[in-house]
Amino acid sequence: MNYFAGIDVGSTAIKVALVDEQGTLAGVHVTASGSLFHKNSTEALNTLLAKLGLQRDDVRYLIATGYGRKLFKEADDSISEITANAAGAFETGKAYGGVRTIINIGGQDSKAIRIDPTGNVENFAMNDKCAAGTGRFLDVAARNLELDLEELGDYHFQGDKAPLNINSTCTVFAESEIIGLLANGHGKSEIIAGIHYSIASRTVRLAKRVGVEDRVYFDGGPALNKGLVAAIQDELGRELLVPEYPQTTTAFGAAILARNDWQEENAG
Ligand code: ADP
């Protein structure tokens, strides 16, 4: 059996996805990027192969994507995150009746992509200048609030007070603002909900720049946070489609494109 791999070397996490000849997902693996991008990417791939009982030779074609993609030199090709994310969301979205707008929040950037009904990218916008609308903001907030990242989602729904306004437009200032709010006796839930709404309003502004159409797909690690999902839905006035594995959509897209490229080259 032939397999195809996508490896998304992200700023915060490395994601690997493997698909078979039919394009069916065989498995995914996620690990922290750390400082050794190449070593950690290689290990992530080997871990997934071992988990599935496969050898490196079973992978016929491998496409790298993401922030550190150029560092993974043994890839057969490397493509932009926009292309890979669009391909992954388009493919995953088919089961839900198709998607046209994609919101991706990563560790250090956020993106909005609009695709046409055949999956081609029509328009995209990116914020990579300001960490306030990204996963980094959530990481910093969790640390300040002495919570695990995974706990933020539940806290969002637990408060009986309205979400606080977080006014700082930069993560460093937001950090002091959070500490100030805690010092003034505000509860964690109202602060967390405020953070989620602050990220949500930035995200919705970004999405509106590309034009919001049809079903909106939300992916990237922060899509695992149900509180953030609720805040974005609220700000957007629409339901979001969050896939089963939101953090690996881009790696899955790269794997799908690896399969397509290989099949085209080996047709007939
Ligand atoms: P990148 O591709 O830039 O490395 P990811 O899409 O992997 O980014 O997202 C990383 C971010 O996802 C982290 O900064 C973190 O805020 C968030 N994240 C990761 N795992 C979880 C989780 N289990 N719950 C909530 N948020 C998470």
Side-chain angles (χ1 to χ4, degrees), residues 31 57 109 130 145 181 220 265:
T31 189
D57 287 353
D109 61 20
C130 167
L145 296 165
L181 290 169
E265 272 175 33

Side-chain angles (χ1 to χ4, degrees), residues 8-15 30 33 66-67 81 104-109 111 134-139 149-153 219-226 246-248 250:
D8 176 7
V9 187
S11 64
T12 307
I14 292 163
K15 283 78 61 178
V30 181
S33 301
Y67 179 76
E81 291 121 283
N104 171 286
I105 305 185
Q108 286 188 12
D109 61 20
K111 310 175 198 75
T134 71
R136 174 96 187 103
F137 193 8
L138 295 169
D139 301 345
L149 197 52
E150 291 76 17
E151 292 180 280
L152 296 181
D219 73 344
L224 290 162
N225 176 334
K226 297 206 164 22
Q247 201 170 4
T248 50
T250 302

Side-chain angles (χ1 to χ4, degrees), residues 94-113:
K94 283 179 185 170
Y96 303 90
V99 290
R100 299 284 308 280
T101 312
I102 304 156
I103 292 172
N104 171 286
I105 305 185
Q108 286 188 12
D109 61 20
S110 54
K111 310 175 198 75
I113 310 170

Side-chain angles (χ1 to χ4, degrees), residues 48-266:
L48 180 57
L49 290 173
K51 213 156 59 174
L52 299 172
L54 299 172
Q55 307 296 321
R56 181 64 181 84
D57 287 353
D58 294 321
V59 178
R60 298 282 164 235
Y61 207 81
L62 186 153
I63 293 186
T65 184
Y67 179 76
R69 62 183 177 272
K70 299 284 182 210
L71 296 172
F72 197 73
K73 293 201 173 20
E74 50 273 56
D76 297 296
D77 199 1
S78 81
I79 58 172
S80 83
E81 291 121 283
I82 305 288
T83 306
N85 197 355
F90 175 68
E91 199 60 33
T92 311
K94 283 179 185 170
Y96 303 90
V99 290
R100 299 284 308 280
T101 312
I102 304 156
I103 292 172
N104 171 286
I105 305 185
Q108 286 188 12
D109 61 20
S110 54
K111 310 175 198 75
I113 310 170
R114 202 181 72 226
I115 56 176
D116 73 13
T118 61
N120 290 315
V121 175
E122 280 183 332
N123 196 2
F124 72 90
M126 190 159 173
N127 155 39
D128 56 3
K129 301 276 177 289
C130 167
T134 71
R136 174 96 187 103
F137 193 8
L138 295 169
D139 301 345
V140 165
R143 203 183 57 222
N144 287 145
L145 296 165
E146 295 183 318
L147 294 171
D148 290 334
L149 197 52
E150 291 76 17
E151 292 180 280
L152 296 181
D154 285 341
Y155 267 90
H156 178 95
F157 301 103
Q158 283 168 5
D160 46 15
K161 296 206 178 104
L164 289 167
N165 270 326
I166 305 287
N167 298 311
S168 304
T169 51
C170 170
T171 307
V172 183
F173 296 129
E175 198 167 3
S176 343
E177 194 176 345
I178 293 167
I179 295 166
L181 290 169
L182 282 172
N184 282 324
H186 288 290
K188 290 186 182 180
S189 289
E190 47 181 340
I191 298 176
I192 290 167
I195 291 165
H196 290 157
Y197 274 99
S198 147
I199 298 177
S201 67
R202 285 166 186 280
T203 307
V204 168
R205 256 182 281 147
L206 193 70
K208 285 189 174 157
R209 269 169 55 194
V210 303
V212 177
E213 290 218 28
D214 248 16
R215 267 169 294 268
V216 180
Y217 186 96
F218 178 32
D219 73 344
L224 290 162
N225 176 334
K226 297 206 164 22
L228 179 62
V229 172
I232 299 177
Q233 288 187 154
D234 208 9
E235 291 285 307
L236 196 61
R238 282 174 195 244
E239 248 189 68
L240 294 171
L241 195 172
V242 182
E244 193 182 352
Y245 303 108
Q247 201 170 4
T248 50
T249 295
T250 302
F252 172 61
I256 287 287
L257 295 174
R259 164 193 170 261
N260 296 353
D261 284 359
W262 187 85
Q263 287 185 340
E264 252 172 51
E265 272 175 33
N266 293 278

